[in-house]
Amino acid sequence: MNKRNLIIGIIALGISLVCLIPGSAAGFTPQNNALPDNFDFSDNYYTVYGGPDVSANIVGDNEFYRGDSVTLNINLMNKGLITGFRSEKDDDPIDVLDQKLQQQEMSYESQRTTAIGIVAILTSPDPNVEVKSGPQEAGSLASGEQTSSPVMFNVEFSKNAPSGDYPLILSLYYGYQKNVQVSGDNETSLGVTNMDVGLWYDVGSQNVTIPVNVKKEAQFEVTNVSGKLAVGEEGMLHATYTNTGNEPVKDAIVRISAANPFSTTDDQAYLGDLDAGESSVAVFKIKVGDTAIEKPYAINSEIKYEDTKGHDRVSDNVKIKTQVSASSNTYTGGLMLPVGFAIAALVIGAIVLYMRRKPGQKPEE
């Protein structure tokens, strides 16, 4: 558990307890095993066993997709029980005053099962699931009660999270009444007069496992790219898409986003049905702009498909990595230009020689 979260939780618990404990509990301190000043074991009639028992469960679905950012709503319920008690007084017989005091103490002891000022802290042992929320206060719960509104935690699932179960740990901290003692010096028809009540509170804690699940789903990668793209030319690009997930897909269609320096009038290709591990080749006709340079490029694409439950899904962005080469006309054009000049020079030279020969002179053999 994160130390900072634990400290914050304990501080919040202390504040909650101070605010929620009734004034009759004078002398209460939220430190473990700290007795109030007016607590006297010699006046204690019973030692009672049992206490709060807070359970937790997610409200709604606990299955999510990788990459999801969700709010978990967690309901708390106190199932605390009194499991037994022991009498600390062996006097036999006891007088009427002691009988009244025993009855009063037992009525207070029944409150032992109340969880006071609950603070909940959710943590994830797995780095693929991150809890974004800090400690949450849930108020107090008597035995048999549940939260009127769930405690909420923001949780983020990694885009690379493998499918499967991810147990989250919900740590609960609360105050509870550990012991009670009552005393008085007179008994009348109206009850015990001058009665003092000493309440001893302690801090309890529980850890509850909250299971969440990352669903099985398809996942796509471009596993092979072929075809030639050259500056200023139109070419065919062949991209092999493989379903690297663990669920089959139906009627998959891939669409590319042709950004500068690329353009296309053919931005979709049909992949069809793909089982887990199967591949299909998409072919696109792409024009490379004249401003492109010779270097690697990445073209974005996404796949729309139908999952096993008949729902339409769209994949995360899948990049097609390709190389743009020099124009295929670059070398030929550079060669033809000087050759053309040479031929033109020869023709012009021949014309000049012809014009300069004397009339009637035959061309030299």
Side-chain angles (χ1 to χ4, degrees):
M1 181 188 301
N2 185 289
K3 183 182 291 185
R4 177 177 175 274
N5 284 351
L6 177 58
I7 293 171
I8 293 173
I10 295 300
I11 292 173
L13 174 61
I15 294 172
S16 300
L17 293 177
V18 169
C19 294
L20 293 170
I21 300 299
S24 62
F28 166 75
T29 173
Q31 297 176 355
N32 285 350
N33 301 317
L35 281 171
D37 294 336
N38 62 339
F39 196 95
D40 185 355
F41 276 107
S42 65
D43 293 329
N44 190 39
Y45 289 97
Y46 298 105
T47 295
V48 177
Y49 303 99
D53 181 14
V54 183
S55 62
N57 63 279
I58 292 179
V59 179
D61 197 357
N62 74 329
E63 292 187 317
F64 308 98
Y65 289 107
R66 61 173 62 92
D68 279 351
S69 293
V70 301
T71 298
L72 293 184
N73 295 288
I74 299 178
N75 185 59
L76 304 181
M77 183 173 184
N78 184 4
K79 300 179 179 180
L81 295 172
I82 299 294
T83 58
F85 67 94
R86 182 181 72 241
S87 174
E88 301 295 346
K89 296 288 186 178
D90 296 327
D91 297 339
D92 190 21
I94 59 174
D95 58 28
V96 175
L97 175 61
D98 279 337
Q99 291 179 21
K100 294 283 187 180
L101 291 174
Q102 283 182 344
Q103 292 172 3
Q104 289 293 330
E105 181 174 324
M106 184 54 73
S107 68
Y108 277 102
E109 292 284 10
S110 64
Q111 300 173 27
R112 178 185 175 91
T113 56
T114 298
I116 305 169
I118 301 170
V119 174
I121 301 174
L122 188 67
T123 55
S124 171
D126 195 299
N128 284 300
V129 182
E130 184 178 359
V131 179
K132 296 290 189 178
S133 302
Q136 304 294 307
E137 295 186 40
S140 300
L141 294 176
S143 180
E145 290 184 343
Q146 62 181 356
T147 45
S148 57
S149 58
V151 290
M152 295 182 290
F153 295 92
N154 296 324
V155 177
E156 186 175 283
F157 295 86
S158 167
K159 290 184 178 181
N160 299 315
S163 60
D165 293 325
Y166 291 86
L168 305 179
I169 306 301
L170 184 68
S171 299
L172 301 170
Y173 299 90
Y174 48 79
Y176 72 99
Q177 179 182 284
K178 188 170 185 177
N179 209 339
V180 180
Q181 66 90 32
V182 296
S183 61
D185 57 15
N186 192 21
E187 190 274 329
T188 69
S189 59
L190 298 177
V192 179
T193 60
N194 299 325
M195 186 173 69
D196 290 325
V197 180
L199 302 177
W200 178 14
Y201 287 89
D202 203 353
V203 176
S205 64
Q206 292 178 237
N207 287 333
V208 182
T209 299
I210 304 294
V212 294
N213 180 270
V214 172
K215 297 179 182 180
K216 291 183 177 180
E217 61 180 323
Q219 197 168 16
F220 298 91
E221 290 182 16
V222 173
T223 52
N224 187 56
V225 179
S226 61
K228 184 177 180 181
L229 297 181
V231 176
E233 298 181 12
E234 190 173 69
M236 305 302 292
L237 186 67
H238 300 254
T240 301
Y241 286 83
T242 301
N243 180 2
T244 58
N246 42 28
E247 286 283 277
V249 302
K250 184 178 180 181
D251 293 332
I253 298 173
V254 58
R255 181 175 182 175
I256 62 172
S257 299
N260 187 51
F262 304 110
S263 61
T264 183
T265 57
D266 179 28
D267 63 353
Q268 292 189 13
Y270 184 71
L271 299 176
D273 300 345
L274 293 175
D275 284 332
E278 284 192 337
S279 301
S280 182
V281 179
V283 182
F284 304 99
K285 183 185 291 185
I286 295 178
K287 176 71 167 60
V288 182
D290 295 331
T291 59
I293 59 176
E294 300 175 51
K295 70 168 190 176
Y297 285 88
I299 300 174
N300 294 325
S301 70
E302 60 182 19
I303 300 94
K304 182 179 178 181
Y305 61 93
E306 183 180 307
D307 65 16
T308 55
K309 294 183 179 180
H311 299 147
D312 288 336
R313 299 288 310 280
V314 178
S315 73
D316 294 330
N317 180 49
V318 182
K319 292 186 179 297
I320 306 172
K321 296 180 180 179
T322 186
Q323 174 74 38
V324 170
S325 59
S327 171
S328 59
N329 296 323
T330 301
Y331 179 77
T332 303
L335 177 62
M336 290 299 292
L337 190 59
V339 170
F341 277 120
I343 295 174
L346 290 174
V347 170
I348 292 172
I351 293 172
V352 170
L353 289 174
Y354 179 80
M355 297 282 297
R356 291 177 61 185
R357 71 181 179 84
K358 295 178 181 180
Q361 181 181 359
K362 294 183 179 180
E364 294 181 2
E365 294 183 358

